[in-house]
């Protein structure tokens, strides 16, 4: 698409969809704001994933994606003249090929796209390949590589599930919020687990008054974001795990999401656990489609660490969420951290991909081999424990 289409009309570039989707017209946009009205309208009529909302991806693209050279390719599918689905894609120029990926996938989690019930009922899995190939032809890409696609959406099989696919390296961790907190606690934790949780909460309280705070004033939000990044950076130095939030562009995107714009409320929020007047843990969360999304957290490496302040904060947030009738699912995202298993279970995701050229076929083959190796490594507790231990051993060397 590129610079030649920088002045495309608000209606975008129209591509009639091949049969059997003759009742669908695809519109493509190379600017997020051009698709904004339909995007926001669809969010009111679909079960939207936080990481594919307009107010998540617009700041991400402005601060991160544009600097990486990612070109938005927003696809809207119209049925009977009204948007029925939206796929926020991006054209990415790699070292050897051009590909279509999900916009913002580098710093998000699962990627279902936006679908109305009407769209799901009328679109079949067999229809997707010709539609995506037509988009790929227009975008002049070598392959399509759509990572972390849920197997179901709105309780129905995802329309992409009929495309060439493999299991994603990571699963998404989700659990129910459809009962009161005490019942949820008893179902997810045995008596010994509940006792340990209570014991640590009492030990934490001995360090000083305990409170959970979610600042609203922009200045306070920005100050807490600095604490979040600082705690993540300190943790990175001790563990050897890189701190993705040390990137000032990603931090700027998070700040924009946390503060919001003049006509839009904040997309996410940052909550802190204070003990004795000090911030001991933080959590970045968001709400979308009846889900509470836990995006990322931080903990202080101080005298509160033995009492699991991060777990105590998450527990307090789950207690509050379980009392909210508008929430039914807890989503702790990707990554097989131990604390997630206490409240959620892993749900496998799919990586959808197919080639549009010889270069694309070679790239997909290499990617499939790498993904298999990563999946096997993560499945081996022995290997993964040794790998993490090695990273901690090497951490001081990396930071000198």
């Amino acid at each position: 698409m590129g610079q030649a289409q920088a002045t495309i009309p608000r209606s975008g570039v129209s591509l009639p969809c091949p049969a059997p989707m003759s009742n669908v017209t695809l519109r493509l946009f190379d600017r997020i704001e051009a698709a904004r009205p339909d995007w926001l309208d669809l969010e009111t009529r679909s079960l939207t994933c936080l990481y594919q909302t307009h107010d998540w991806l617009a700041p991400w693209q402005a601060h991160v994606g544009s600097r990486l050279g990612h070109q938005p390719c927003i696809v809207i599918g119209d049925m009977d003249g009204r948007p029925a689905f939206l796929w926020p894609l991006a054209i990415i120029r790699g070292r050897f090929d051009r590909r279509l990926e999900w916009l913002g996938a580098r710093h998000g989690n699962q990627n279902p796209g936006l679908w109305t019930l009407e769209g799901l009922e009328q679109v079949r899995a067999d229809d997707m390949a010709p539609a995506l190939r037509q988009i790929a032809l227009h975008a002049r890409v070598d392959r399509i590589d759509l990572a972390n696609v849920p197997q179901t959406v709105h309780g129905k099989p995802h329309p992409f599930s009929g495309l060439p696919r493999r299991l994603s390296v990571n699963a998404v961790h989700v659990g129910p919020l459809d009962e009161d907190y005490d019942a949820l606690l008893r179902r997810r934790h045995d008596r010994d687990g509940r006792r340990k949780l209570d014991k640590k909460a009492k030990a934490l309280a001995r360090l000083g008054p305990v409170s959970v705070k979610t600042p609203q004033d922009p200045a306070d939000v920005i100050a807490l974001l600095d604490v979040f990044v600082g705690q993540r950076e300190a943790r990175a130095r001790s563990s050897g795990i890189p701190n993705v939030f040390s990137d000032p562009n990603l931090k700027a995107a998070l700040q924009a999401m946390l503060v919001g714009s003049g006509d839009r409320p904040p997309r996410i929020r940052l909550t802190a656990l204070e003990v004795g007047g000090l911030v001991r843990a933080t959590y970045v969360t968001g709400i979308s489609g009846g889900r509470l999304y836990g995006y990322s957290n931080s903990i202080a490496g101080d005298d509160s660490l033995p009492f699991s302040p991060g777990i105590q904060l998450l527990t307090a947030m789950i207690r509050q969420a379980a009392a909210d009738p508008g929430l039914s699912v807890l989503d702790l995202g990707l990554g097989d951290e131990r604390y997630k298993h206490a409240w959620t279970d892993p749900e496998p995701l799919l990586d959808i991909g197919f080639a549009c050229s010889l270069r694309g076929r070679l790239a997909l083959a290499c990617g499939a081999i790498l993904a298999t190796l990563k999946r096997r490594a993560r499945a081996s507790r022995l290997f993964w424990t040794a790998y993490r231990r090695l990273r901690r051993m090497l951490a001081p060397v990396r930071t000198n």
Side-chain angles (χ1 to χ4, degrees):
M1 296 155 73
Q3 295 299 320
Q5 293 183 17
T7 59
I8 59 174
R10 182 168 179 169
S11 59
V13 175
S14 294
L15 299 177
C17 207
M21 291 176 62
S22 56
N23 64 326
V24 176
T25 298
L26 300 175
R27 287 183 290 141
L28 275 59
F29 300 85
D30 63 0
R31 294 175 294 120
I32 288 179
E33 289 311 298
R36 184 178 189 264
D38 288 331
W39 200 330
L40 295 181
D41 172 63
L42 264 174
E43 288 185 17
T44 67
R45 299 187 291 114
S46 62
L47 194 62
T48 308
C49 175
L50 172 68
Y51 309 111
Q52 295 191 307
T53 57
H54 172 275
D55 294 347
W56 175 280
L57 287 176
W60 184 90
Q61 176 62 20
H63 294 281
V64 181
S66 61
R67 289 170 170 79
L68 294 174
H70 294 187
Q71 174 62 58
C73 180
I74 312 302
V75 180
I76 295 179
D78 292 327
M79 292 182 173
D80 300 323
R82 192 177 189 190
F85 56 83
L86 183 148
W87 308 334
L89 305 179
I91 301 170
I92 298 176
R93 294 173 174 84
R95 186 172 299 177
F96 303 109
D97 68 351
R98 284 165 53 100
R99 62 190 182 274
L100 269 179
E101 292 187 3
W102 293 112
L103 184 68
R106 176 173 297 204
H107 296 126
N109 282 278
Q110 69 271 37
N111 302 292
L114 281 68
W115 298 87
T116 64
L117 286 174
E118 177 190 16
L120 286 173
E121 290 169 354
Q122 296 192 33
V123 171
R124 295 176 175 83
D126 292 343
D127 302 337
M128 294 293 93
L132 283 169
R133 288 190 184 280
Q134 186 165 357
I135 295 167
L137 180 64
H138 181 85
R140 302 190 303 278
V141 296
D142 298 294
R143 60 186 167 108
I144 291 176
D145 192 2
L146 305 179
N148 299 329
V149 176
Q151 298 189 45
T152 62
V153 59
H154 281 296
K156 300 177 182 293
H158 197 289
F160 288 180
S161 60
L163 295 169
R165 66 196 183 278
R166 62 174 182 265
L167 281 178
S168 302
V169 172
N170 292 297
V172 63
H173 288 74
V174 298
L177 288 173
D178 55 356
E179 53 189 336
D180 67 78
Y181 171 77
D182 290 334
L184 184 61
L185 179 66
R186 288 192 298 271
R187 185 159 62 82
R188 298 295 311 194
H189 297 72
D190 59 20
R191 181 177 297 180
D192 185 54
R194 297 196 299 271
R195 187 182 297 115
K196 288 180 180 178
L197 196 61
D198 185 59
K199 183 178 179 180
K200 287 190 174 184
K202 291 177 179 178
L204 193 65
R206 286 195 285 271
L207 298 179
V210 179
S211 61
V212 176
K213 298 180 179 180
T214 303
Q216 305 296 322
D217 181 79
D220 294 335
V221 171
I222 293 171
L224 186 56
L225 179 61
D226 288 336
V227 174
F228 164 83
V229 174
Q231 290 181 349
R232 296 276 306 194
E233 190 61 39
R235 190 71 170 171
R237 289 194 295 269
S238 64
S239 67
I241 302 173
N243 174 28
V244 66
F245 299 102
S246 64
D247 178 356
N249 297 321
L250 180 56
K251 182 183 176 183
L254 277 181
Q255 180 174 312
M257 297 177 203
L258 286 163
V259 173
S261 61
D263 63 334
R264 303 286 295 174
R267 180 73 264 177
I268 55 177
R269 60 190 180 186
L270 182 55
T271 300
L273 177 74
E274 289 190 4
V275 183
L278 299 175
V279 176
R280 312 293 185 139
T282 71
Y283 218 127
V284 179
T285 64
I287 294 175
S288 185
R291 287 193 177 211
L292 173 64
Y293 290 85
Y295 178 58
S296 188
N297 55 17
S298 72
I299 54 175
D302 56 20
D303 57 348
S304 69
L305 193 58
F307 313 126
S308 305
I311 292 176
Q312 298 296 333
L313 174 57
L314 177 60
T315 301
M317 294 168 59
I318 291 173
R319 182 190 292 273
Q320 183 180 28
D324 186 340
L327 294 174
S328 58
V329 177
L330 173 67
D331 187 322
L332 297 182
L334 308 180
D336 195 27
E337 287 83 3
R338 184 182 302 175
Y339 75 89
K340 295 181 181 180
H341 291 269
W343 296 102
T344 61
D345 298 302
E347 288 188 358
L349 299 170
L350 301 174
D351 290 345
I352 307 298
F354 57 87
C356 307
S357 72
L358 177 58
R359 284 187 296 185
R361 285 195 291 273
L362 292 173
L364 280 178
C366 292
I369 293 171
L370 183 60
T372 299
L373 293 175
K374 286 182 178 179
R375 198 162 49 247
R376 289 178 178 175
R378 288 185 179 274
S380 170
R381 289 289 179 185
L382 180 63
F383 174 86
W384 202 241
T385 300
Y387 175 64
R388 288 188 168 184
R389 186 174 297 142
L390 179 63
R391 284 196 303 196
R392 286 194 294 270
M393 291 170 59
L394 296 177
V397 176
R398 292 178 180 176
T399 55
N400 284 342

